[in-house]
Amino acid sequence: MDETRPEVLQGTLDLMILKALDALGPLHGFGIARRLEQVSGGVLRLNEGTVYTALVRLGQRGWISSSWGLSERNRKARFYGITGAGRRQLRREEQGWQQIAGIVNRVLRLAQED
Amino acid sequence: MAWLRLLNEKIRALTRRRRDDETLAQEIDLHLRLLEERFQQRGMPADEARREARRAFGGLQQLKEAHREARTARWLPEAAQDVSYAIRMLRRQPGFAIVTLLTLAVGIGANAAVFSVVNAVILRPLPYPSVDRVERVGWDWNGRSAATGALAPFKFAYLREHTRAFQALATWQTWTVESGAGTASAPLRVLRVSQDFFDVVGASPAQGRGFTPAEQDSDAGVALLTEACFRTRFSSDLGALGRTMLLDDRSVVIVGVLPTTFEFPEVSDNIDVVTPLTLRADPSDHGANFPVMGRLRPDVTRAAAQADLDRVFSELRRELPNQFSGAAERAVLMRFDEIYLADIVRPLWALFAGVFIVLLIACTNVANLLLARGTTRLREMAVRAALGASRGRLLRQGIAEGLMMSAIGGVAGVALGTAGVHVLLGLAPGGIARLDEVRIDTIVLGFAAVVITITGVLFGLAATGIGTMPRAGAAASLATRGSSVTRTGRRVRQLMIGVESALAMLLLVGAVLLVSGFYRLTRTPLGFDPHGVIALTFPRLAPELRTPARVAAAERVLRGALAAVPGVSAAASTSVAPLAERGWNIPMTIDGRPDATEGAVEWRAVSREYDAVMGLRLLEGRWLSDDDVDAGRPVIVVSAGFASRYFPDGHAVGQRLWLGVFRGERRPNANDVPREIVGVVADIRDLGPTRPARRTVFIPQAGSQPGSGLPAFVLRATDAVSHDSLRAAVRAADPALPEPIVSTMESRLGARLARDRFSSLLMAVFASVALLLTTIGVYGVVSWIVRHATHEIGIRIALGAGSRRIARDVLLRGLVPVGLGLALGGAAALAASGLFTGLVVGATTVSARIAIAAAAVLLIAAATAAWFPARRALRVDPVAVLRAD
């Protein structure tokens, strides 16, 4: 079963996190991991710890910001939210991603027809 | 600027690493617990849930590492590593390090010192608000010679009334006064300012008030103090406001204090007191002209302001046509440096260029040294490359080393430069505007930082051998000798000494030019014999002594007393001490020839002994006699230049002229009768050899001194006469007089030549240093060539090549690039010839002879430097070389 679960491409994790924060508002690391699991239908293979590395990267670029708050059951957690710059970046990446996906799909279709 | 933000984040992360680690630990902890709970909810046992949570989360240690790396910049710890490695390399070769650092320190220090002067005198903006709207107005008399930065009072008044371009125009005058009772006794410098002065400079009193229009118009007795004067003389006591103080014999009321920020670099003295100045705007008043400064209205361009000046003065010309002599006469806008720095801007830039060239040569040598080490370190580099260091990393390592080197050298250099500034200011001639503002400030430090950074990076490139950097896996190939690495290395080195030679040539030509010009200047015939002549000048007299009768009496007594001092053979008085900074002039018209008239001939009122003391050469007629003086006979002696100008056929003696008459108009100081020319003396340059000989007239009128002071005295004396004995004689003769300033003609001549000596001396120092450094450079490069050609030389000797031929080849490898460099530098010097002239008054343009002389000096130095290593080549033992293979 493991073999069929695709690895997360470098860079796409950042995009997915931005999308999650854009869609759901501020989340803590665990919440982000759950959202990723949910949208991929449990297909994506991901060490959940890598989410935190991605969050540092995004924070340094100013695309997300963080603050301490209380999670469900009153536990102290760090919440991450998308910034304006993050939203703009997300739009750019979505466009780029769709273009590439389109091209790859076309290439793959052509290859099948051969 | 995204990268800037990123850099900032990463650097901040370094300092809060610990806190970030703890935060991450908390986040991980929560995440794991939530995962665990989730698995337990799905019915897993507690221990299995914990294991499963760990597995889903991934490796904890890797995460912490990755997290930390993402947070911080990886290159920062690496940079620290580079720096510590660089320090280790320097400490391993202390001799090399010291030579390099000293060269750099001297180069950067000298640059910082000269730059600090350039910055203060030329670059730093003047201290007026909206300084770009502040302009000076000068007068261009004929469109040929430089305009003078002053206007006659009536022109100023007319301009002030009719201008549309200026919102305010002002003039000023400085004066030294004795301060009366109640204050310290040192003389005060007074700045007298016309109406609107403070609007022009953009200043207002910090305490008290300014002058009211009424006070300004009537020159009422009011005064403003500068902050320095307020502090030192009144201990910053505000009670001083409203008190009166004595300026000479006049009492004035202190009405205000100017702020600390008030600066007025247009006058070079430190001002103590400011008082109103009222001008008499009468066209018939031919007294002093006044400097004029104005503030333009906003949005008025310089061109528009000049057009406005032209309009105003063409109207004045219509009203008073006889006040204008030529069609080319006009008012012009002038910049600060045109008026006050006219003869200093170019020398300063030239010195800066010179010292910068020295730095370039020093840097070339340092790069050369580093390059030499770079090649010997090729093996180390190759090994490190083989061990996985990327080319980029090696280059960065080299740059870190170069920066280290230039930073240490630079810091030492700035320290040296701070001391150097004092040396420079000590050498500098007096009277340079704004020189007192020179200091090592942030701008100078910034300049040093830029120099350090650029040189550091270049050194780094040199240290890694630029193109000779090995690729990974090249270590093995390095074992073989005579590789292409050596050939490239040689080319690079030859290029370097070529460049050095060209730069040194440029400096040397400049130095030869200036020094020979200065030498010529010191040999300029003055028209009098300065040796053994002593001058006495007096400070301004106290007001009660300033009557013509009192001055005349003092002159007579002093002349006798000074002549009686043992060792003094003759004493004379004169209205202008020889080799003073400026003389006195007077208008003149030849009797019966209204067209033979001029506005300013040099005028000297002297006693009969003057020609004997000065050793004037009489060409025609006779000198002034005692009878002339006693009988008040209207006679005059003129200089040869004067005689040939107005009496080109000779026969000047017996002719008559009117003093104080110009174009048929009698000035207040005009004589009632014409004076008869009784003699002609050779031209004298009594204002110094840097000025051309002026047309001069001598009248027998000892003691009639313009400016109501005592005349100066000149004595012919033996060396044994002490200055103290002269002062004592003055005290004994007339105890009421102030103490005279005693100076020899030699020292006065030195003062007149100070600027030219300064330029030529510094240029000579720079050129000598450049010559020395270039010689060292050539020696280093030829040594290197011999060392790396040992193999080749050994084989050639074994094959029977003559030693003479081998020595010649080695020498040529060093001297050909030097020769090419000299040719290039010589050509550049010839092309830039105009830059040098004018730095020293006597300097001519670059001649082929000077260029050849400079080239010969450099070539001999280079050949000597190359000879020692070349001799070593002859001692190569072919057997040893071949055995080593």
Side-chain angles (χ1 to χ4, degrees), chain B residues 808-828:
Chain B
R808 201 192 63 197
D809 284 358
V810 170
L811 272 179
L812 281 184
R813 280 185 195 170
L815 294 187
V816 165
V818 170
L820 291 176
L822 292 183
L824 197 70

Side-chain angles (χ1 to χ4, degrees), chain B residues 675-746:
Chain B
R675 287 179 177 272
E676 183 187 340
I677 299 173
V678 293
V680 177
V681 293
D683 277 336
I684 67 165
R685 294 166 181 256
D686 64 349
L687 298 180
T690 58
R691 313 255 202 101
R694 307 273 294 269
R695 288 187 285 281
T696 309
V697 298
F698 301 89
I699 62 163
Q701 208 173 319
S704 80
Q705 180 67 5
S708 59
L710 263 186
F713 290 84
V714 283
L715 317 172
R716 183 151 288 279
T718 60
D719 292 341
V721 175
S722 81
H723 293 183
D724 280 337
S725 69
L726 297 173
R727 285 191 203 100
V730 170
R731 252 195 318 277
D734 193 339
L737 297 180
E739 183 161 284
I741 299 158
V742 184
S743 53
T744 62
M745 276 305 128
E746 279 86 359

Side-chain angles (χ1 to χ4, degrees), chain B residues 544-739:
Chain B
E544 68 272 16
L545 297 176
R546 256 183 247 150
T547 62
R550 181 70 178 86
V551 168
E555 187 270 338
R556 238 185 343 268
V557 173
L558 281 183
R559 185 145 45 96
L562 289 168
V565 173
V568 175
S569 57
S573 71
T574 167
S575 53
V576 173
L579 303 175
E581 222 170 313
R582 61 181 65 130
W584 283 97
N585 55 51
I586 193 171
M588 175 290 311
T589 304
I590 305 289
D591 187 37
R593 287 164 59 188
D595 291 341
T597 183
E598 84 179 277
V601 294
E602 288 297 316
W603 174 89
R604 307 282 180 264
V606 297
S607 70
R608 191 258 310 158
E609 305 87 348
Y610 186 77
D611 78 319
V613 174
M614 298 288 283
L616 299 186
R617 212 149 49 81
L618 187 68
L619 301 178
E620 244 184 280
R622 65 172 180 87
W623 178 249
L624 307 168
S625 73
D626 277 335
D627 284 354
D628 295 332
V629 183
D630 295 340
R633 221 178 274 153
V635 292
I636 195 163
V637 170
V638 300
S639 67
F642 183 97
S644 65
R645 164 75 185 263
Y646 293 105
F647 308 100
D649 310 330
H651 319 302
V653 173
Q655 303 289 335
R656 296 193 302 172
L657 58 85
W658 293 86
L659 287 183
V661 178
F662 181 48
R663 288 212 190 111
E665 187 192 334
R666 295 180 59 83
R667 301 286 165 83
N669 54 4
N671 290 157
D672 297 330
V673 288
R675 287 179 177 272
E676 183 187 340
I677 299 173
V678 293
V680 177
V681 293
D683 277 336
I684 67 165
R685 294 166 181 256
D686 64 349
L687 298 180
T690 58
R691 313 255 202 101
R694 307 273 294 269
R695 288 187 285 281
T696 309
V697 298
F698 301 89
I699 62 163
Q701 208 173 319
S704 80
Q705 180 67 5
S708 59
L710 263 186
F713 290 84
V714 283
L715 317 172
R716 183 151 288 279
T718 60
D719 292 341
V721 175
S722 81
H723 293 183
D724 280 337
S725 69
L726 297 173
R727 285 191 203 100
V730 170
R731 252 195 318 277
D734 193 339
L737 297 180
E739 183 161 284

Side-chain angles (χ1 to χ4, degrees), chain A residues 24 31-44, chain B residues 38:
Chain A
L24 301 184
I32 293 171
R34 295 288 71 72
R35 171 69 178 175
L36 295 184
E37 190 181 51
Q38 181 199 344
V39 294
S40 71
V43 179
L44 212 53
Chain B
R38 193 154 169 268

Side-chain angles (χ1 to χ4, degrees), chain B residues 394-582:
Chain B
L394 288 181
L395 199 62
R396 224 168 44 206
Q397 165 69 50
I399 290 174
E401 247 178 273
L403 278 175
M404 252 341 267
M405 199 101 94
S406 63
I408 297 175
V411 169
V414 169
L416 266 180
T418 315
V421 166
H422 294 291
V423 176
L424 209 58
L425 294 186
L427 284 173
I432 297 179
R434 309 185 83 194
L435 203 60
D436 54 333
E437 295 175 33
V438 171
R439 59 189 64 96
I440 303 279
D441 58 6
T442 44
I443 295 178
V444 177
L445 290 180
F447 167 77
V450 169
V451 170
I452 289 169
T453 312
I454 293 175
T455 52
V457 170
L458 292 180
F459 294 157
L461 295 178
T464 37
I466 315 170
T468 60
M469 268 236 310
R471 282 162 208 291
S477 72
L478 277 170
T480 60
R481 263 177 275 166
S483 63
S484 63
V485 170
T486 323
R487 202 168 306 129
T488 326
R490 196 173 72 211
R491 293 272 151 73
V492 170
R493 283 170 178 76
Q494 286 176 328
L495 183 70
M496 280 178 164
I497 53 175
V499 169
E500 267 185 327
S501 307
L503 291 172
M505 175 75 181
L506 199 60
L507 269 189
L508 210 59
V509 168
V512 169
L513 204 64
L514 295 196
V515 171
S516 63
F518 182 69
Y519 178 73
R520 210 169 307 132
L521 204 55
T522 60
R523 311 265 301 187
T524 308
L526 295 171
F528 62 91
D529 176 16
H531 302 291
V533 176
I534 294 174
L536 279 82
T537 55
F538 288 86
R540 235 164 100 80
L541 292 179
E544 68 272 16
L545 297 176
R546 256 183 247 150
T547 62
R550 181 70 178 86
V551 168
E555 187 270 338
R556 238 185 343 268
V557 173
L558 281 183
R559 185 145 45 96
L562 289 168
V565 173
V568 175
S569 57
S573 71
T574 167
S575 53
V576 173
L579 303 175
E581 222 170 313
R582 61 181 65 130

Side-chain angles (χ1 to χ4, degrees), chain B residues 71-225:
Chain B
R71 269 178 351 226
T72 61
R74 193 175 348 146
W75 53 265
L76 272 176
E78 276 186 13
Q81 208 181 354
D82 286 344
V83 168
S84 77
Y85 186 76
I87 293 175
R88 257 185 292 151
M89 292 310 292
L90 285 182
R91 280 171 54 183
R92 206 184 291 165
Q93 291 165 296
F96 168 81
I98 286 171
V99 169
T100 318
L101 294 179
L102 268 183
T103 314
L104 267 177
V106 170
I108 293 178
N111 268 273
V114 175
F115 179 77
S116 70
V117 176
V118 170
N119 180 45
V121 175
I122 304 176
L123 299 181
R124 201 202 313 259
L126 292 163
Y128 311 125
S130 314
V131 68
D132 52 320
R133 279 165 51 204
V134 174
E135 293 285 353
R136 287 139 208 86
V137 182
W139 197 257
D140 186 348
W141 292 91
N142 49 26
R144 290 189 306 274
S145 47
T148 48
L151 295 187
F154 77 94
K155 290 175 186 158
F156 166 71
Y158 190 86
L159 173 64
R160 194 164 162 271
E161 198 176 326
H162 293 89
T163 180
R164 289 178 202 145
F166 289 94
Q167 68 182 42
L169 278 159
T171 179
W172 62 91
Q173 195 181 37
T174 56
W175 207 245
T176 304
V177 299
E178 275 83 41
S179 53
T183 53
S185 58
L188 289 165
R189 287 301 282 170
V190 178
L191 177 71
R192 302 170 68 197
V193 301
S194 74
Q195 203 170 337
D196 298 342
F197 174 84
F198 290 105
D199 295 335
V200 174
V201 298
S204 55
Q207 304 287 346
R209 59 175 180 84
F211 306 136
T212 64
E215 285 168 347
Q216 184 74 59
D217 280 347
S218 62
D219 192 7
V222 286
L224 288 165
L225 302 179

